[in-house]
Amino acid sequence: MLNFDFNLQIISHQKPLSLQSIMGINIGIPRGTRDFGPLESARRNFILKTIECQFHKYGFLPLQTPAMENLDTLIGKYGEEGDQLLFKILNSGLHEQKNKDVILEKFKLSLEKHLHASEITDKALRYDLTVPFARYVSMHRQELPMPFRRYQIQPVWRADRPQKGRYREFYQCDADIIGTPSLLSEWELIRLADDVFGALKIPAELRWNHRKLLQAIADFASCTDRFSEFTLCLDKWDKSGKEGVSEEMKKRNFQEKQIRDILSCIEQLNGFFASDFHNVPYFIPSSPSGDITKNEISFIYALYKNFPLKHIRLVPDFTLARGLNYYTGFIFEAKALQGDFQPSILGGGRYDDLTGIFGQPGLSGVGISFGLDRIYDVMENLQLFPEQLKTTRYAFCLGLNMGEQSIGYMFDFIHKLRESGVPAFQFPENKKISKQFEYADKCGIPYAAIAGEEEIRQQSIQLKNLNNKEQKNLPVDEALNILKHEYFQHGKN
Amino acid sequence: MLNFDFNLQIISHQKPLSLQSIMGINIGIPRGTRDFGPLESARRNFILKTIECQFHKYGFLPLQTPAMENLDTLIGKYGEEGDQLLFKILNSGLHEQKNKDVILEKFKLSLEKHLHASEITDKALRYDLTVPFARYVSMHRQELPMPFRRYQIQPVWRADRPQKGRYREFYQCDADIIGTPSLLSEWELIRLADDVFGALKIPAELRWNHRKLLQAIADFASCTDRFSEFTLCLDKWDKSGKEGVSEEMKKRNFQEKQIRDILSCIEQLNGFFASDFHNVPYFIPSSPSGDITKNEISFIYALYKNFPLKHIRLVPDFTLARGLNYYTGFIFEAKALQGDFQPSILGGGRYDDLTGIFGQPGLSGVGISFGLDRIYDVMENLQLFPEQLKTTRYAFCLGLNMGEQSIGYMFDFIHKLRESGVPAFQFPENKKISKQFEYADKCGIPYAAIAGEEEIRQQSIQLKNLNNKEQKNLPVDEALNILKHEYFQHGKN
């Protein structure tokens, strides 16, 4: 029954490391996914803890949702392209089903377009944290304090073409305030971004736009009814500039005049708005959407003037569109300002009715999402990780192994260190002492404790500082105290 | 293109919360998965941080692997049953493929048995953390310090029938030492279990057995060649007792005498071994496996005698088999000792050649895995969560909203609190003051700060203790100091 083949070792004996197929078994990981070894994991944890600490300061509490959601929950929320990027999970027990013909037929049909047939797959991995959040709020509205503030730090999965900064598994760190239209929430999230990037020392700018301003522009250019198509075209600006947007609009049969009106409006706004907002409101087309926008921008900028951000810049960018259709007010995006790799490291915005589709209308909210993986890439690129995260350190003291007679004595010492909170362990085998020092070095361990027959008789420990090679024979308690002191004064990560 | 239907709100207006289908959209989560709200998340984080802290003390460093592994990596590692419990992921872009007939044919074939056809699915969600660990070590052997100590805290997924204590998504917290046959590693993990359950205050016993002892019993009963089948039968003891094992063995055509020999051997061992190990070695059949076992048990018990565990009991249990075939030496399992729900909360053991299948033979290791979700269930059952985790608290101070004129003044106060590390936020809307107090109450917030025209003129804050209803008008700095003091002396979670 169990086909774990232990004999394989004989055949592939001492074969060098290879990602190639070994005896027909591929050793590797799925495309676009990554392993994180000790140093990378420690660095990722550092970023996560920094962000989490800021979330707590702002009164956000954690929420966790399952990795899998029902397809019904996800399909149709991210556009047609998004639907195709979902990782769908095969229903279990398919081979036990009796109606194989029906399943086969469904599969055939679904192959023609997408694989939505619930007989074959009815679950998928979550694509972001916003839709699961909306689903959660819809299910628990009665018991939640409204407005509800939650943060969520979990991986998401997208079957996108992998490239630098784009992974198939990546972590989002979301903070949302739902259940109030108040612009104080936008202001809170702007400050939160300032505090997070400040704590991580990332030089960044937070760009904003307003979907109702884009709506006003669409109205002005007489393409009100093609708003969502217009924002999709505008999304090209970042990569292919004004020409790219113009081309995309032509391709979609927008009229020449519409394209001209839209682009000139955006260019004028971009040119003047940043420098002196209060003198250029006439650039904003006068319309209901335009007027709302003016008031909302004034509110935020009044606070911004009185309480300047400490670390990041807040700048308008009227080419910012954000593909997701559920945004209805302010939208945000942040990028690092230095380095040769400047991907978007934060995104977000206001949504007026995200929970409506789940039967709970009337809950306006706003959220931002920090991208852990890109923040990591930026911090690596700009060498922003703190000193203690430049190397791996498994423990603060290695107890050397001098043979069976002294194992208990050394265990006792190591155990006392651990009880004081100092990470330590004993080398498991009685190998040559030089090998054990080599191991300590490879593990980044700064101290070694040594005890043979003589030390046991004296109730002492030879304590060696592996950096400066100093070694002292010390009473056990003194050795303990020195290590405790060094660890808590200088050595604690 | 985007079919996120905002009009749905009109149709389902104010429909009460329902898990039923709303307009054909099921609102719910996949069977066997769970959402964790703020309180549950905080409690889960408390358990994880406690375990992680112990892992660090013992010199384990973190490793993270992708949620998805190649099917090649997983298939055949968990037995036939395990293969069927894998959550397989549909290949993306299937609808774009040209050779639809081939895919259809493969799908048809795979329906007959399992869905292993790589044209349809070549990835699955990880089933445990041990096999991904072995895969990682095999790929990175050269660069890792050997013996390699890693911990890994991540969710795993199994398409098992959900029931109390068994979920389809659950977290494992693994610590492994690979690259040495030294029994000091077993001893380390026993101590680690003692420290973890001690820190969580869970009264538990750690049961052990030895796969080579079971081997010796199989030899003794002349069914050496059916060892793995024998362990599968033995696994039934926990649920259906001696009779269950006997029945299962009969069903599998073991001979009457074999069954009798095995069961009497185990019963004698169980009866006498625990009380006085050194007098009953004659119960262990004399054979190469038997002799190894005797030596190994002596080693561990010698340490155990000299350094008693502080919190948990270490007890032999010769009915313990552990289904996974890769175990070759000591095996472990822990259960809570009190309460009406006593699932296994830890499992583990020694494996002599887990990485052999990935082309890296000769790396013996031992690991244990704490089950977060069951530990949570046990702690809830025994009411072991600390006081501050009995309720949810979003922040330490709520700034009341007294209208647009005072928003900036209050923001400044809240901002200063946050800068001192005190979690706080301002209520986003200018609602009736009683509503705002109600909200603070629902959020578990102990203090409210109030500032209207009069306080702004005086540069003061009305600080209200929401527990005893005391309210004082204080200079801003004094209000800040009181909140800081209260938070860091008494209020910090």
Side-chain angles (χ1 to χ4, degrees), chain B residues 105-168:
Chain B
E105 189 53 34
K106 290 275 178 182
F107 187 70
K108 196 174 165 185
L109 276 173
S110 66
L111 267 184
E112 307 300 320
K113 332 191 289 168
H114 303 312
L115 282 157
H116 288 181
S118 66
E119 287 82 357
I120 295 150
T121 165
D122 58 13
K123 292 178 288 296
L125 294 178
R126 71 177 156 244
Y127 182 89
D128 71 357
L129 303 178
T130 308
V131 168
F133 167 62
R135 193 261 311 139
Y136 176 84
V137 170
S138 302
M139 284 171 70
H140 298 272
R141 182 174 184 171
Q142 309 307 325
E143 71 222 55
L144 296 174
M146 278 293 165
F148 176 54
R149 303 165 79 90
R150 85 85 176 79
Y151 75 85
Q152 191 168 351
I153 298 181
Q154 290 190 294
V156 301
W157 294 269
R158 296 182 188 177
D160 230 327
R161 202 167 48 82
Q163 60 186 64
K164 185 163 172 61
R166 195 201 280 156
Y167 309 104
R168 289 186 150 194

Side-chain angles (χ1 to χ4, degrees), chain A residues 9 17 35-36 58 64 88 90 95 113 135 138-139 147 180 182 310 353 418-419 428-429 439, chain B residues 9 17 35-36 58 64 88 90 95 113 135 138-139 147 180 182 310 353 418-419 428-429 439:
Chain A
Q9 62 173 293
L17 172 66
D35 287 320
F36 301 108
Y58 276 76
Q64 290 178 294
K88 291 166 192 128
L90 268 175
H95 60 284
K113 333 191 289 169
R135 195 260 313 140
S138 303
M139 284 171 70
T180 174
S182 166
K310 303 227 159 135
D353 193 27
R418 288 173 178 165
E419 282 195 320
E429 295 174 34
Y439 179 76
Chain B
Q9 62 174 291
L17 172 66
D35 287 319
F36 301 109
Y58 277 76
Q64 290 178 292
K88 290 164 192 132
L90 268 175
H95 61 284
K113 332 191 289 168
R135 193 261 311 139
S138 302
M139 284 171 70
T180 173
S182 165
K310 302 225 159 137
D353 193 27
R418 287 172 179 165
E419 280 194 322
E429 295 174 33
Y439 179 76

Side-chain angles (χ1 to χ4, degrees), chain B residues 196-211:
Chain B
V196 165
F197 292 129
L200 294 171
K201 302 195 172 56
I202 296 174
E205 72 181 18
L206 182 65
R207 300 185 296 154
W208 64 265
N209 194 359
H210 199 295
R211 295 276 291 194

Side-chain angles (χ1 to χ4, degrees), chain B residues 46-61:
Chain B
F46 167 77
I47 299 172
L48 290 181
K49 277 177 188 163
T50 305
I51 295 176
E52 199 171 24
C53 172
Q54 299 297 330
F55 284 173
H56 278 282
K57 259 175 50 183
Y58 277 76
F60 293 96
L61 286 195

Side-chain angles (χ1 to χ4, degrees), chain A residues 121-133:
Chain A
T121 166
D122 58 14
K123 292 178 289 296
L125 294 178
R126 68 176 158 246
Y127 182 89
D128 72 356
L129 303 178
T130 307
V131 168
F133 168 61

Side-chain angles (χ1 to χ4, degrees), chain A residues 109-123:
Chain A
L109 276 171
S110 65
L111 268 184
E112 306 301 320
K113 333 191 289 169
H114 304 311
L115 283 156
H116 287 183
S118 64
E119 288 82 356
I120 294 150
T121 166
D122 58 14
K123 292 178 289 296

